Amino acid sequence: LSKIEEIVAVAEGAESVKNVAILVSGAQDVSGGELKQVEEMMKSKATTFEYTLVVVPEWNDEPEAMTAFGIVNVTDVVDDAPFGEVVPSFSREESLRIITEALAIDKAAGKCVVATAAPDMKSLESMLVQGMREVGFDRLQEVEHMVTRGVKGYNEMLASEKEGVAWEKAPEPTDEEKAIETASKEERMVMMRQKRQDAEKEKELQALATQWAKREFLRKSLKRRIPIGEEEFIEIVWDRAMFEADLKYRTMSGLVVNESEERAQFKKDQKARKA
């Protein structure tokens, strides 16, 4: 792990470096305290680039996606057993997949995580990963969910469902709203009318998108229990839901829609974004 500080120093001195992904294997004997020291070092010294650190135990030659996995933030690991009491080896191909996908995940920036294999089919990690694979998540979505939410997020979701939803802070005025305040009376009337029309359309699109996403959640959950709540599922498929809503909205408005071509283009655009 001492090599990580050298990597950070080199990256700091290279002006062209903007993103760094570091994968450390064979770390099964490293303590949680040591990992937290590395995290603090990276937070303080990695100032000119974004980074993601993934730490795994000893590698094995198992192909990727054969075994489920768990991911825990370094800040949450147990000091004397960061990989758990029993430490199975980790697929080399799977670890490379995780660190590669992390480069495309905005929320992975600044994270230091520990990844462990979850061969026990009854474990919560296995339930989450296998459930996502069976309902059609691609590898990027799967890794993103485990990095940003994982078991901890799943448990927090269950707790929040019991406690209820907390009140949200009122949003700050947008630039558009600030511009309305300074516009002339006539301009303000035009802007408000357009804003109202846009808001009504957006409201209808979101309602249609929510309906589509809920139907999709129900359709998939009838086949097998989905290891995430309806709200989180809707969040994950929201881009697709809004696309489907836009198609329906334009069809209802009497506009010409070529659904097959537009769906093909949408899938092509989504693949390009994930590339």
Side-chain angles (χ1 to χ4, degrees), residues 116-158:
T116 55
D120 183 358
M121 298 296 290
K122 296 180 181 179
S123 69
L124 187 51
E125 291 87 353
S126 181
M127 184 194 76
L128 288 171
V129 172
Q130 297 299 340
M132 285 187 285
R133 290 173 182 173
E134 289 175 11
V135 299
F137 284 38
D138 59 32
R139 292 311 310 274
L140 175 60
Q141 292 172 321
E142 175 187 312
V143 172
E144 181 174 18
H145 178 81
M146 294 305 286
V147 169
T148 59
R149 297 177 184 270
V151 169
K152 181 179 179 181
Y154 180 76
N155 288 330
E156 288 175 349
M157 178 193 73
L158 295 180

Side-chain angles (χ1 to χ4, degrees), residues 1-270:
L1 291 176
S2 61
K3 293 289 184 183
I4 297 176
E5 191 165 2
E6 296 178 18
I7 295 172
V8 171
V10 171
E12 277 286 302
E15 187 177 343
S16 61
V17 174
K18 300 301 179 186
N19 293 281
V20 174
I22 303 174
L23 173 63
V24 177
S25 65
Q28 62 273 7
D29 296 324
V30 176
S31 71
E34 290 175 299
L35 291 173
K36 290 173 183 177
Q37 288 177 8
V38 170
E39 182 179 44
E40 288 302 316
M41 179 275 295
M42 296 190 75
K43 285 181 179 179
S44 63
K45 295 187 176 182
T47 60
T48 62
F49 61 91
E50 300 287 357
Y51 64 85
T52 303
L53 171 66
V54 178
V55 183
V56 300
E58 184 180 8
W59 273 336
N60 62 45
D61 295 325
E62 185 179 82
E64 68 169 286
M66 293 293 290
T67 302
F69 61 92
I71 291 180
V72 180
N73 289 326
V74 165
T75 51
D76 297 324
V77 300
V78 178
D79 285 347
D80 58 352
F83 294 92
E85 297 299 329
V86 180
V87 187
S89 58
F90 201 90
S91 164
R92 178 178 181 275
E93 290 186 11
E94 187 78 322
S95 64
L96 292 173
R97 166 66 72 174
I98 291 171
I99 196 66
T100 300
E101 299 292 12
L103 287 169
I105 301 171
D106 291 340
K107 292 182 180 179
K111 280 189 175 290
C112 297
V113 300
V114 170
T116 55
D120 183 358
M121 298 296 290
K122 296 180 181 179
S123 69
L124 187 51
E125 291 87 353
S126 181
M127 184 194 76
L128 288 171
V129 172
Q130 297 299 340
M132 285 187 285
R133 290 173 182 173
E134 289 175 11
V135 299
F137 284 38
D138 59 32
R139 292 311 310 274
L140 175 60
Q141 292 172 321
E142 175 187 312
V143 172
E144 181 174 18
H145 178 81
M146 294 305 286
V147 169
T148 59
R149 297 177 184 270
V151 169
K152 181 179 179 181
Y154 180 76
N155 288 330
E156 288 175 349
M157 178 193 73
L158 295 180
S160 66
E161 288 179 352
K162 292 179 180 179
E163 296 173 3
V165 180
W167 289 98
E168 295 184 0
K169 182 181 178 181
E172 294 293 328
T174 64
D175 291 340
E176 182 183 6
E177 290 168 338
K178 292 177 182 177
I180 291 175
E181 289 296 323
T182 58
S184 67
K185 183 177 179 180
E186 291 182 358
E187 290 173 329
R188 191 178 304 172
M189 291 178 63
V190 173
M191 293 172 69
M192 287 297 293
R193 185 161 47 248
Q194 183 62 49
K195 187 173 185 292
R196 187 164 53 250
Q197 292 173 351
D198 291 343
E200 289 173 355
K201 178 182 176 182
E202 183 66 18
K203 184 178 179 180
E204 187 169 354
L205 284 174
Q206 291 188 1
L208 292 171
T210 301
Q211 291 172 8
W212 181 90
K214 286 185 174 182
R215 286 196 303 270
E216 190 70 4
F217 178 81
L218 177 61
R219 184 179 69 82
K220 290 183 180 295
S221 62
L222 288 174
K223 296 181 180 179
R224 182 181 175 87
R225 184 179 183 277
I226 298 177
I228 57 177
E230 184 182 68
E231 289 186 7
E232 188 175 345
F233 178 86
I234 291 173
E235 180 182 343
I236 292 169
V237 301
W238 189 247
D239 286 348
R240 172 69 186 278
M242 285 296 288
F243 168 78
E244 295 292 341
D246 182 65
L247 284 182
K248 186 171 183 178
Y249 181 88
R250 286 185 283 131
T251 301
M252 292 166 56
S253 299
L255 301 176
V256 178
V257 176
N258 190 321
E259 293 189 13
S260 59
E261 286 188 8
E262 292 195 35
R263 283 198 175 93
Q265 184 61 47
F266 175 80
K267 291 179 180 179
K268 182 179 178 181
D269 293 342
Q270 291 295 99

